[in-house]
Amino acid sequence: ENKISLTVNGHSYTLTVNPDETLADTLRKRLKLTGTKFACGIGECGTCTVHINGKAERSCTLTAGEAQGKKIITIEGLPEDHPVKKAWIKEQVVQCGFCQPGFIM
């Protein structure tokens, strides 16, 4: 296990994680940020998308350690007045909701 520091949605966390633990698992299981979903596990579907240093990245293909020292934003950290969130609601894109956070990100 490795001790790492993550900055997620403007908050700093120090965690002990397995070297192969994905960022998606760390966000969901350890930080309880369940808006980031896990589905395909190979970065194809996009349900696990988060912003890392301002760029959309698939969190299921990165280890938590690879995200150390970077600014991570999840759907929970995206402001309510973000243009994509507002457009999503205005255009009534809502379906079942599972993949929506990843698509918005």
Side-chain angles (χ1 to χ4, degrees), residues 5-14 27 31 33 70-74 76-77:
S5 296
L6 295 176
T7 302
V8 182
N9 300 333
H11 301 282
S12 296
Y13 300 92
T14 300
L27 294 170
L31 300 183
L33 295 170
K70 298 175 182 172
K71 182 180 172 184
I72 303 161
I73 304 291
T74 68
E76 291 92 346

Side-chain angles (χ1 to χ4, degrees), residues 33-76:
L33 295 170
T34 57
T36 301
K37 306 296 191 244
F38 184 88
C40 74
I42 59 172
E44 289 292 321
C45 72
T47 62
C48 68
T49 302
V50 297
H51 293 176
I52 299 178
N53 289 344
K55 182 180 175 199
E57 300 277 353
R58 305 295 202 252
S59 64
C60 74
T61 60
L62 296 170
T63 66
E66 290 173 313
Q68 186 169 218
K70 298 175 182 172
K71 182 180 172 184
I72 303 161
I73 304 291
T74 68
I75 190 71
E76 291 92 346

Side-chain angles (χ1 to χ4, degrees), residues 79-92 104:
E80 289 302 315
D81 65 348
H82 188 278
V84 176
K85 273 189 174 180
K86 288 170 66 175
W88 207 266
I89 294 166
K90 180 182 178 204
E91 298 301 322
Q92 300 179 359
I104 291 170

